[in-house]
Amino acid sequence: MNAPRTTRSRRPALLKAAATTAVLALTLTACNANSGSDDDATAPSTQGSTGATEKGGTMTILTSATEINWDPAKSQNLAITTLGLVERRLTTWGVEPGKPGVVVPDLATDTGTVSDDGTTWTYTLKDDIFFEDGTPITSADIKYGVERSFAPELSGGLGYHKSLLEGGDEYAGPYTGGELDSIETPDEKTIVFKLKTAYGDWPWIVSQPAFAPVPEAQDDVATYTQQPVASGPYKVVDTQQGVSVTLERNDQWTEESDDVRTAGPDSIVFSLGQDATVTAQRLIADAGDDKNAFGASFVPPAQLAQVANNASAKERLVTSDAGALAYLAINTEREGLDNLQVRQAIQYAVDKQAFQVASGGETGGAIATTLITPGIEGREDYDLYEAEPAGDVDKATELLTESGWDPTSRELVLLSEDDSVSLSQAQAIEQGLERAGFQVTIKPEAQLAAVQTLTQGTGEYDLTISSWQPDFPSANGNIQPLFDSSQIGNGGYNMARFSDPAVDELIAQATAEIDVEKAGALWAQADRAIMEQSPVVPLIFTRNSFLHGSNVQNFYIPAFPAYPNYLKASLSQ
């Protein structure tokens, strides 16, 4: 069986995920649009706070999800959110407000020892790590957990490791395919991974859900989604279908073995199927048990307006600095758009301020000029196409004239999702381009159809707006999935259909580089090299806002990702 592509990062939102919830914020801020530099993406915002952890109480997480799939093989869950409360991995994310994320040990003693050629990674497990029944966690449990992620019955999880491990392309999981020889367990404390090629971000890969331990004797494909065997500070004790999931303390977890989880509450209840608007209204009111709750969903725009006029709620609103990059992809294979000067003209013609307004103003996102997400190693601030936030129409028309291409020769098809927010954002792009003489037709499609056209089709579109957040805090996740030529079509997300051998080589070098600083420098070089070719127009780095009750403490959003860190949240006693 062919394994899922290793490069599939956090799904592109095609604006919908970025805009239909909290990103569509207070439009009244748009009249004071920011300077247009992506330095604004790291300007101070209300990211929350950290302090001493008090133990006790029941914390409620209000979520729109109608179920929680605890099976690590099937999950794309962020390391700092839901599954991280119950299931540990070899490594995890060390994230704080205002600081770049770093990979840190979790079940392993360190982030890995690599061979000289970068293809073999070795990990040693900590002492005194146990499953919820008191059974020691061994290297065999990690190996089995990874192997089961290859099983067709357990598809859907992040699959980077499947094409990186030797033999992964042919392996079909432990239920029918035996063991994967490229994962070795010479003893109960040691696990060794053999890769096809050098891969410097492997320590991030082993922080993903599939690297949680699963005891083979307790693996039931039908029930593991609701009854996982806990290795973290909490275990699942009750599931009411579509209503709630309750976690209680796992007394086999030790604080001494875990540097990232504080396990403040005695119990945690996920309240399922909650409407984001109702959740926000409850948290604004801050009454009863809701004082001990927080919302897992972005705060909708109408409630953000309420928060602005409510001093108590305003103190409890936590807003990220920067999240997903919203961008305009230019199909570089299309007639006219295969001309660099035409693509550069689009850079100047786009009205980023109008797009920002359509996305909720400054609260919804800061204007972007680069590709790597703030909070990730390797990011550098620069602007190759300096202009006012509203663009530079004169410069755009000058470049168009120099290009020799007549923009009236055909209409450019701007593929958009068919919801109202996506369409309003598409219209903001349309009006900016038409000022410079481009002719644009917006083509609405339903979300699934749009994704199919953009990732599986032959490129029957000229422009599209998307958003992207990496699956782990590395510039690899910003650059490779969107700009490597191998990701054109066949399910890849290179929507600009951009192909440049020099950029491919830079990506290959950065991917194989083990030294974090050297890799970051290479990714920064790739970022600039891509922007020189102008396959996309960075629009904004979206911001996300969340509310919590007055008794919730240590509720914060790190520099990356733009979501709260569930592993630290606690309650005042």
Side-chain angles (χ1 to χ4, degrees):
M1 175 180 177
N2 292 329
R5 305 180 67 86
T6 64
T7 52
R8 184 176 180 179
S9 288
R10 188 63 45 196
R11 297 183 198 85
L14 297 185
L15 296 199
K16 199 169 189 176
T20 57
T21 48
V23 178
L24 186 61
L26 302 175
T27 55
L28 57 88
T29 65
C31 60
N32 297 314
N34 60 34
S35 67
S37 166
D38 60 3
D39 289 335
D40 293 316
T42 54
S45 60
T46 311
Q47 295 178 302
S49 61
T50 61
T53 299
E54 299 180 35
K55 302 286 187 177
T58 296
M59 184 169 69
T60 300
I61 300 175
L62 303 168
T63 176
S64 60
T66 56
E67 63 179 359
I68 297 175
N69 187 339
W70 297 99
D71 194 317
K74 302 176 72 172
S75 177
Q76 298 189 21
N77 193 250
L78 296 174
I80 62 170
T81 55
T82 306
L83 267 67
L85 295 165
V86 173
E87 297 163 346
R88 299 175 68 176
R89 303 98 187 265
L90 280 175
T91 64
T92 189
W93 303 359
V95 293
E96 298 180 45
K99 296 182 180 180
V102 294
V103 63
V104 296
D106 194 356
L107 291 173
T109 58
D110 57 28
T111 58
T113 300
V114 64
S115 61
D116 290 341
D117 65 358
T119 63
T120 301
W121 287 85
T122 302
Y123 293 85
T124 302
L125 299 186
K126 295 175 179 176
D127 296 327
D128 300 323
I129 51 175
F130 305 95
F131 287 115
E132 63 180 81
D133 62 1
T135 304
I137 296 170
T138 69
S139 56
D141 299 315
I142 305 288
K143 174 179 167 71
Y144 181 73
V146 177
E147 288 176 337
R148 67 194 293 276
S149 71
F150 286 82
E153 303 95 311
L154 299 176
S155 63
L158 295 176
Y160 292 83
H161 59 286
K162 296 180 183 179
S163 292
L164 289 171
L165 287 164
E166 288 183 355
D169 290 337
E170 295 79 35
Y171 184 60
Y175 308 131
T176 59
E179 296 186 16
L180 183 58
D181 292 338
S182 55
I183 305 177
E184 299 178 351
T185 53
D187 57 55
E188 290 189 346
K189 289 285 187 182
T190 307
I191 187 165
V192 181
F193 300 97
K194 294 186 175 181
L195 312 183
K196 295 177 183 176
T197 59
Y199 193 83
D201 277 329
W202 185 252
W204 287 115
I205 301 303
V206 300
S207 74
Q208 294 178 351
F211 291 82
V214 176
E216 184 174 0
Q218 299 183 60
D219 179 21
D220 185 330
V221 173
T223 63
Y224 210 87
T225 57
Q226 294 184 9
Q227 299 172 7
V229 183
S231 51
Y234 297 96
K235 58 185 177 181
V236 179
V237 297
D238 182 66
T239 299
Q240 301 293 323
Q241 282 289 77
V243 177
S244 65
V245 177
T246 300
L247 310 182
E248 291 183 357
R249 290 193 185 280
N250 171 16
D251 60 10
Q252 297 299 316
W253 172 84
T254 62
E255 196 162 357
E256 294 75 22
S257 72
D258 196 332
D259 293 330
V260 297
R261 299 167 182 82
T262 54
D266 289 332
S267 59
I268 297 174
V269 177
F270 287 87
S271 184
L272 305 176
Q274 301 299 310
D275 178 79
T277 297
V278 175
T279 290
Q281 290 172 339
R282 287 172 55 179
L283 292 172
I284 290 171
D286 195 39
D289 290 341
D290 288 340
K291 293 182 178 182
N292 299 331
F294 69 81
S297 300
F298 307 158
V299 179
Q303 280 63 54
L304 279 174
Q306 292 180 33
V307 169
N309 297 305
N310 184 315
S312 171
K314 192 172 183 179
E315 289 183 355
R316 295 179 282 108
L317 183 73
V318 178
T319 301
S320 70
D321 273 343
L325 171 68
Y327 64 94
L328 176 71
I330 306 169
N331 188 341
T332 57
E333 295 180 344
R334 298 279 277 184
E335 185 268 322
L337 303 183
D338 55 0
N339 185 315
L340 174 59
Q341 287 183 307
V342 173
R343 299 196 301 271
Q344 291 174 331
I346 291 174
Q347 292 281 351
Y348 289 102
V350 166
D351 186 342
K352 295 184 181 183
Q353 180 171 305
F355 182 87
Q356 186 185 48
V357 170
S359 303
E362 289 184 43
T363 304
I367 287 177
T369 63
T370 61
L371 305 172
I372 297 175
T373 307
I376 286 182
E377 185 75 33
R379 171 181 163 79
E380 291 183 359
D381 292 324
Y382 66 90
D383 188 355
L384 296 184
Y385 307 99
E386 292 187 16
E388 293 298 315
D392 186 336
V393 177
D394 291 340
K395 182 66 174 178
T397 53
E398 176 187 331
L399 282 164
L400 267 179
T401 300
E402 293 176 2
S403 75
W405 185 69
D406 180 4
T408 66
S409 62
R410 70 180 188 90
E411 292 187 328
L412 301 180
V413 176
L414 172 54
L415 185 64
S416 170
E417 287 192 27
D418 59 1
D419 63 278
S420 60
V421 174
S422 295
L423 289 172
S424 68
Q425 291 170 319
Q427 289 163 2
I429 297 298
E430 176 189 35
Q431 62 86 18
L433 294 178
E434 289 185 340
R435 297 176 307 171
F438 290 99
Q439 297 187 58
V440 179
T441 296
I442 297 173
K443 181 183 179 182
E445 286 191 1
Q447 182 182 23
L448 291 179
V451 171
Q452 180 76 12
T453 300
L454 295 165
T455 66
Q456 299 286 356
T458 57
E460 299 303 311
Y461 60 92
D462 294 296
L463 307 166
T464 192
I465 307 167
S466 186
S467 66
W468 190 263
Q469 175 172 279
D471 283 315
F472 52 96
S474 168
N476 187 337
N478 287 104
I479 302 297
Q480 198 271 351
L482 301 186
F483 302 105
D484 193 297
S485 62
S486 68
Q487 303 309 301
I488 298 173
N490 299 315
Y493 287 103
N494 185 341
M495 297 178 186
R497 306 182 78 85
F498 173 73
S499 178
D500 185 307
V503 169
D504 284 348
E505 178 59 26
L506 270 175
I507 290 172
Q509 291 178 32
T511 299
E513 179 56 60
I514 305 302
D515 184 278
V516 173
E517 290 188 6
K518 291 180 180 178
L522 287 168
W523 288 121
Q525 188 178 344
D527 188 321
R528 187 178 290 267
I530 292 164
M531 285 305 301
E532 287 173 351
Q533 296 298 313
S534 187
V536 301
V537 179
L539 298 170
I540 61 173
F541 286 110
T542 60
R543 290 188 174 118
N544 301 335
S545 296
F546 300 85
L547 267 172
H548 64 84
S550 57
N551 288 340
V552 177
Q553 298 180 332
N554 294 302
F555 186 84
Y556 68 88
I557 300 176
F560 177 93
Y563 294 90
N565 185 355
Y566 293 13
L567 310 187
K568 300 284 191 182
S570 60
L571 299 172
S572 60
Q573 300 302 306

